[in-house]
Amino acid sequence: MTNGWIDIKNTDMMLIMGGNPAENHPCGFKWAIEAKRNRNAKMIVVDPRFTRTAATADLFLQIRAGADIAFLGGLVNYAIQNNRLAKEYLLNYTNASFLVKEGFQLPENGLYSGFDPATQTYDKSTWNYQEGGNMAGKAAPIDRPAATAAPAPAVLPPNVAYDLALEHPRCVFQLLKKQYARYTPETVERITGIPKDQFLKAADLFTSIRKDGDTKKVASVIYAVGWTQHTVGTQIIRTAAILQLMLGNVGRAGGGVNALRGHSNIQGATDMAGVFDLLPGYLKMPRPEDTDLAAYLKRVTPTVSKPGPWDSFSYWSNTPKFAVSLLKALYGPAATKQDDWAFHYLPKIDRQYSWTQLWDRMYRGEVKGLLSFGMNGVMIGPDTKKNIAALKKAEWLVVGELYPDETSEFWRAPGTTTEQMRQIQTTVYRLPCAGFAEKDGSFTNSARWLQWKNAALPPPGDARLDQDILAQIFLRVRDLYKKEGGKFPDPILNAAWSYTDPQHPSLSEVTKEINGKALADLKDEKTGQEIKTGQQLPGFAWLKDDGTTAAGNWIYCGAWTEAGPQLARRGTEDPSGLGIYPNWAWSWPANRRVLYNRASCDVEGKPWDPSRKQVWWNEAAGRWVGNDVPDFKADSPPKDHMGPFIMNPEGVGRIFAPLAAFAEGPFPEHYEPMESPVKNPLHPNQSNNPVVKKFTTAEDVYGTVEQGFTVICTTYRLTEHYHYWTKHNPMNVETVPEPFVEISADMAKDYGIEGGETIKVTSARGTYIAKAFVTRRIKAMLIDGKKMHQIGIPIHWGYRGIAEDAGKTANTPANLLTPTVIDPNAFTPEFKGFLVKVEKA
Amino acid sequence: MSQATLEIRAISGHAGSVPGAGVKRELEVCKLIDTTTCIGCKACEVACLEWNGLTFSETTFQNSYQTMPETAWNYWNLIKFNEHERDDGSLMLLMRKDQCMHCEEPGCLAACPADGAIVQYANGIVDFQQDRCIGCGYCITGCPFNIPKFSPQARKVFKCTLCADRVTQGLEPACIKSCPTGCLHFGTKAEMKELADHRATQLREHSGFAKAGVYDPSGVGGTHVIYVLHDASDPEVYGGLPADPHVPWTVQLWKKPLKWLGNLAIVAGVAGVFIHYLRYGPKTVPEDLQGGKP
Ligand code: SF4
């Protein structure tokens, strides 16, 4: 979240889309209710189903799964056409005025400039700003062909060309206008199935916060995996970001683009690099071409790119400090300057290792074994059948779990004969692990708060803590390397492991290591503050690239300081009344509660809304001060015009995302899901996301309407259950005992299906069997003029659990149906919006 | 629960005066349920099960998110889900928390012939005392809200206690404590009425629910559980909330002139049970029911 859970109470307008917070985040949803109750805030819910969130909404629109960009693009168009814009914000805090290179082309035919069909990739060199300063009034040469001179290295120009009148035909704003002019209410209706009048009602309501030049009101966009789980997931979120930048809602209390995380610590997992292409703190993973640290840092450290008179903090220019401090934390004394800070110890990623790709390689016999902790791999990935087949090909599998789960029992998946079981050679080790209440440690929530928790009770029986199991594995592997050597033992032998009890590393020690400490006496020349060798660092501003600091994750620096565990704080004071609670837990970065909060003020440094004051410029003190920690260079005066988006080299928010930021283009474009019931109405010849690559094993099959897969299907969670765990808990099972398929009353009539009747849902990959839940909360839709049905399947059931073990379900995991196809930016599978057929069982 | 900790206002099947009546008047408690902010998360259902130690029962899918068709002897708190189409064709998903309404004039208590099986405390809570319950089920006919439920195993009737045990200790009922959206409130009747009226006004003025209002039916003298409804003119759509609940006339009649007659019948009934006992010995209680409450 750019903002936080509690901050939602400050909003005037909510767009909840691609998420169902009432059901999946009920505790956090209280703040949405607060906003309604205390501010008369309005709530718009857009979802394929009328959910329990929709039940409390002021306006609900039923959308076809996978049509989100069309809807949001329609909102962008509406805001521009009706001048519902935050003009000053747009001009000063976004790249709306920047000029884009000649040769950059909008995807009128479905493709941006530079596409190579052979490799399905883009040459992105035209996706860049023009060099050159103030271009106001200087008309562009019309339709000049793309420059064909020798390709310059793809970097952003330091002195960006711009037009503050926003009239230059190559300026971002004019290109944006042109791009989304195609997303008319009629087109939105054709693609999304939302009738034009309903769309206009929602568009008018959402953008009403900027009616008649109002700059005080603020709107929040709230989403979850209903946006991410698409082949265009990242671009859906981009469209929302563009909309929020145009309306001036980012950085403001009650605003922002807010991702609701579906697990207690998913934010923490991402922050700590539970993603293959990242190192902790969102540092990029080295690649093979990064032959030394200097080469790596040159590639990943951005250089400032902005209009001449403006200033840009470009905080990522500190990347070398973060990277060297990380290497010091990882390799301790072995990371020396002479040895390039042990950079060569880091693995270099030669290919993509995302979840679906890893399992694909296991299926191909290339991955020999799997350590599976904190997940139920068979159940969570697309195409369960392929995942089970993949595990059969592995040599070994280690599962750390609380319950007997589908992954550790893949070998007895329904339909496996005794004969087939005999053929399976995989050795399975199932280790009893501690549950969340049996461990201490911290959770990082959606609001980026690190919150320390204590263990409530010890693990039962033989169950062990995850860190103890991992420590055992590490120490024994290290012993083997010590004794037997190996291809490259150094990174293992020299990995820092200085815990008091190496067999049982305490999580408080690990957290302190992540925060980081001084490795030499440090002194801040400006303030005179000193930090002695060995002391915990108070914040990331202290990090150095000379080996005198170590920090396992720069954004967590400040969480556990010399003053103690900041993340364990429980102060309930909220002096501003904005729900900032500065002394409750600790929020990264630097305990800031709302990111980019400089943008909550006008150019002069005064809050847009004096009743929701977050930070402001104090002229007398010559500093930014406020109720929240300013997310800004504290002493940069407004007259210097430093951009509020300090993590971008431009200093401003990106309406146009240049160069390699995204795989499919600088502006989002609607592409159909990989399995779609229609050809893309915008450009039938380029229906899907052009850079999405299909998997190619025999299991990877994709269905079409011609094959009879005519029904749109989406998957989701219920409030009564938590993923694949609670099917083992009697009380959860009592509240929703059995799997079901939600189908519309229209469809039930067309198909002659009664509520409660068992039905069979089949995709190109598998079959799911459950009872029909016939409801008026889903309706048949007109997509591109054709009547279509949409159904929904909750994901919670598999082949182990109370109902399953009692023989009360068909033992069919929902992901038997889902396709192995992923978003090219975030690598998330397309669990929403695929094709099936429905029959009576 | 112990009767000693709560001042009693009325007692079922009891001749003579109420102990302690008129000595002291406690504040009347009230639960406010704002159906317009309920999200049907069922946290209250589970909290009720947990706090009251109710046994797990098997449910089946009923073409609804609703856990079971109606409350049960071991399920006192149930969210009723209703898909309701408004006149303009738009859909509403109504979710109403169903449980004992703790009527000011409780029909169950009026109907109950067993001395002390149902008591009404001065704070308004209507509570069943299972040790005095004879399992006749008259309370079931007396209730206009279909709340008391008979346990075939225990041969007694059970229902929501408004967590009288918690309330005497100054705590809110378990459902209130668990509700994540704050759609449940607990306090004095006067406070809750004010809060409810305020919310209903807000719904009328700002949310386009012209008929929003408060449900506190006078037919049973008002209730100690009140609702804010989007449409107070049509409570039936909220899973059969009666528009004008009354204690059935049969019970009213019984309560007054006929009661002594009934008492006679009960005495005869009890005598019958005694004779049965003499002949066949005590009835065995199923194992899972031994050890007290449900
Ligand atoms: S806990 Fe509250 S929001 Fe959830 S179902 Fe019960 S009353 Fe409704």
Side-chain angles (χ1 to χ4, degrees), chain B residues 20 28 38 45 53 56 71 80 83 112 134-135 148 159 193-194 198 200 207-208 226 232 242 254-255 258 270 272 287:
Chain B
E28 291 196 15
C38 173
E45 289 188 10
F56 168 62
T71 58
K80 293 219 163 171
E83 294 175 8
C112 176
I134 57 171
K159 72 157 189 73
K193 276 285 267 200
E194 197 188 314
H198 178 78
S207 300
I226 61 174
W254 145 263
K255 168 89 183 175
L258 288 180
V270 171
E287 234 165 67

Side-chain angles (χ1 to χ4, degrees), chain A residues 11-189:
Chain A
T11 199
D12 300 302
M13 180 71 60
M14 291 166 266
L15 174 63
I16 302 181
M17 188 172 165
N20 181 5
E23 298 194 44
N24 298 323
H25 321 263
C27 291
F29 190 65
K30 75 149 77 58
W31 304 110
I33 298 278
E34 289 277 280
K36 279 174 73 79
R37 229 175 359 217
N38 297 331
R39 302 186 63 88
N40 287 312
K42 294 281 173 263
M43 184 193 291
I44 303 169
V45 171
V46 183
D47 200 282
R49 300 174 304 129
F50 189 109
T51 60
R52 283 176 255 195
T53 306
T56 62
D58 295 277
L59 184 60
F60 167 74
L61 306 180
Q62 182 184 306
I63 189 171
R64 168 169 69 104
D68 307 70
I69 291 178
F71 178 82
L72 294 166
L75 289 187
V76 170
N77 182 42
Y78 183 92
I80 295 174
Q81 301 302 332
N82 294 279
N83 199 23
R84 300 265 175 97
L85 301 169
K87 198 68 197 296
E88 186 182 334
Y89 187 112
L90 184 72
L91 202 59
N92 293 288
Y93 300 162
T94 78
N95 63 5
S97 65
F98 291 23
L99 265 48
V100 173
K101 267 193 159 180
E102 298 297 336
F104 168 76
Q105 274 161 16
L106 292 170
E108 262 132 282
N109 62 353
L111 295 169
Y112 284 92
S113 41
F115 189 68
D116 175 3
T119 57
Q120 269 189 273
T121 51
Y122 278 105
D123 166 6
K124 298 171 182 167
S125 52
T126 60
W127 304 5
N128 202 350
Y129 308 126
Q130 281 181 36
E131 175 84 45
N134 190 352
M135 306 294 274
K138 293 182 207 164
I142 307 298
D143 285 338
R144 195 168 66 182
T148 46
V155 289
L156 297 174
N159 181 27
V160 171
Y162 61 97
D163 171 20
L164 294 178
L166 302 183
E167 277 163 4
H168 196 288
R170 296 306 296 175
C171 84
V172 165
F173 183 72
Q174 290 301 328
L175 291 171
L176 178 84
K177 193 170 164 183
K178 199 167 162 206
Q179 162 75 353
Y180 293 105
R182 299 179 296 142
Y183 291 63
T184 60
E186 293 75 18
T187 304
V188 172
E189 172 168 342

Side-chain angles (χ1 to χ4, degrees), chain A residues 20 79 131 168 221 227 240 245 399 410-411 440 623 676 690 841:
Chain A
N20 181 5
E131 175 84 45
H168 196 288
V221 169
W227 272 0
L245 286 171
V399 176
F410 74 91
W411 47 272
D440 63 358
R623 294 186 79 74
S676 163

Side-chain angles (χ1 to χ4, degrees), chain A residues 231-279:
Chain A
T231 41
V232 290
T234 315
Q235 292 283 18
I236 299 175
I237 300 157
R238 268 281 297 149
T239 326
I242 290 173
L243 184 67
Q244 287 294 71
L245 286 171
M246 289 166 48
L247 296 174
N249 286 326
V250 184
R252 296 191 53 186
V257 180
N258 297 303
L260 312 182
R261 304 306 216 127
H263 296 266
S264 49
N265 203 18
I266 277 290
Q267 183 65 50
T270 326
D271 298 342
M272 287 307 299
V275 187
F276 75 90
D277 56 350
L278 292 175
L279 291 169

Side-chain angles (χ1 to χ4, degrees), chain B residues 22 45 77 81 95 110 135 145-146 198 211 236 243 266 281 283:
Chain B
E45 289 188 10
N77 176 130
F81 290 78
M95 291 167 285
F145 297 99
N146 183 26
H198 178 78
K211 295 182 194 161
E236 294 284 349
I266 292 296
K283 281 193 135 184

Side-chain angles (χ1 to χ4, degrees), chain B residues 37-44 79 97 175 178-181 183-184:
Chain B
T37 52
C38 173
I39 54 171
C41 71
K42 306 186 189 174
C44 51
I79 303 296
K97 181 178 177 301
C175 54
S178 69
C179 179
T181 65
C183 90
L184 301 181

Side-chain angles (χ1 to χ4, degrees), chain A residues 270-538:
Chain A
T270 326
D271 298 342
M272 287 307 299
V275 187
F276 75 90
D277 56 350
L278 292 175
L279 291 169
Y282 302 94
L283 292 172
K284 296 200 175 73
M285 193 72 186
R287 292 192 202 142
E289 67 261 30
D290 301 326
T291 46
D292 57 15
L293 181 62
Y296 165 74
L297 290 176
K298 184 162 191 308
R299 180 172 70 82
V300 302
T301 311
T303 51
V304 168
S305 171
K306 61 175 182 63
W310 293 3
D311 201 359
S312 170
F313 203 10
S314 192
Y315 207 75
W316 278 115
S317 61
N318 293 303
T319 301
K321 299 172 188 171
F322 310 150
V324 173
S325 297
L326 172 65
L327 289 165
K328 286 301 291 178
L330 289 173
Y331 302 116
T336 61
K337 185 157 200 247
Q338 298 72 11
D339 213 12
D340 208 18
W341 306 113
F343 174 76
H344 58 294
Y345 287 0
L346 287 178
K348 313 289 182 292
I349 43 164
D350 55 340
R351 67 191 90 168
Q352 292 171 347
Y353 290 91
S354 75
W355 198 99
T356 318
Q357 291 159 320
L358 264 181
W359 286 69
D360 180 65
R361 266 173 226 133
M362 202 188 323
Y363 179 84
R364 294 164 183 272
E366 295 163 22
V367 172
K368 300 282 179 231
L370 181 75
L371 295 172
S372 172
F373 284 74
M375 68 168 192
N376 187 342
V378 158
M379 296 291 286
I380 63 175
D383 196 349
T384 312
K385 199 159 121 248
K386 181 178 176 186
N387 299 330
I388 291 171
L391 286 174
K392 288 181 186 166
K393 297 183 182 176
E395 286 171 16
W396 51 267
L397 166 70
V398 182
V399 176
E401 251 303 336
L402 273 67
Y403 293 109
D405 71 334
E406 283 78 3
T407 302
S408 58
E409 299 196 3
F410 74 91
W411 47 272
R412 45 171 283 195
T416 319
T417 63
T418 323
E419 193 38 49
Q420 285 166 333
M421 285 185 207
R422 283 204 192 96
Q423 309 285 317
I424 300 171
Q425 295 301 311
T426 322
T427 310
V428 181
Y429 305 87
R430 187 159 73 194
L431 309 178
C433 269
F436 66 92
E438 294 151 7
K439 308 182 237 198
D440 63 358
S442 73
F443 285 144
T444 306
N445 72 4
S446 305
R448 296 168 282 101
W449 299 358
L450 284 71
Q451 300 189 89
W452 189 260
K453 67 188 169 78
N454 298 316
L457 70 177
D462 289 337
R464 296 213 200 159
L465 300 169
D466 302 67
Q467 68 265 31
D468 288 1
I469 297 171
L470 294 172
Q472 286 293 319
I473 295 172
F474 170 74
L475 294 171
R476 289 182 200 197
V477 168
R478 192 173 69 177
D479 279 350
L480 280 175
Y481 269 112
K482 252 184 219 157
K483 276 191 220 114
E484 300 173 12
K487 266 197 190 146
F488 190 28
D490 300 9
I492 304 290
L493 296 181
N494 292 324
W497 199 268
S498 51
Y499 308 111
T500 312
D501 180 353
Q503 308 275 343
H504 308 280
S506 83
L507 293 186
S508 49
E509 277 182 295
V510 174
T511 312
K512 284 165 96 167
E513 185 182 25
I514 291 169
N515 177 88
K517 62 179 181 192
L519 302 174
D521 290 352
L522 305 174
K523 185 169 179 185
D524 181 330
E525 292 309 334
K526 261 199 236 157
T527 63
Q529 194 188 347
E530 286 183 24
I531 296 176
K532 296 271 165 251
T533 310
Q535 285 188 330
Q536 290 294 109
L537 294 171

Side-chain angles (χ1 to χ4, degrees), chain A residues 745-781:
Chain A
D746 309 309
M747 181 172 180
K749 211 165 123 221
D750 286 1
Y751 282 64
I753 295 168
E754 301 276 331
E757 196 175 340
T758 305
I759 59 171
K760 201 165 99 181
V761 180
T762 308
S763 76
R765 295 152 294 276
T767 297
Y768 181 80
I769 296 170
K771 289 179 180 169
F773 183 168
V774 176
T775 176
R776 285 182 290 168
R777 292 176 299 97
I778 309 179
K779 293 191 164 41
M781 313 188 79

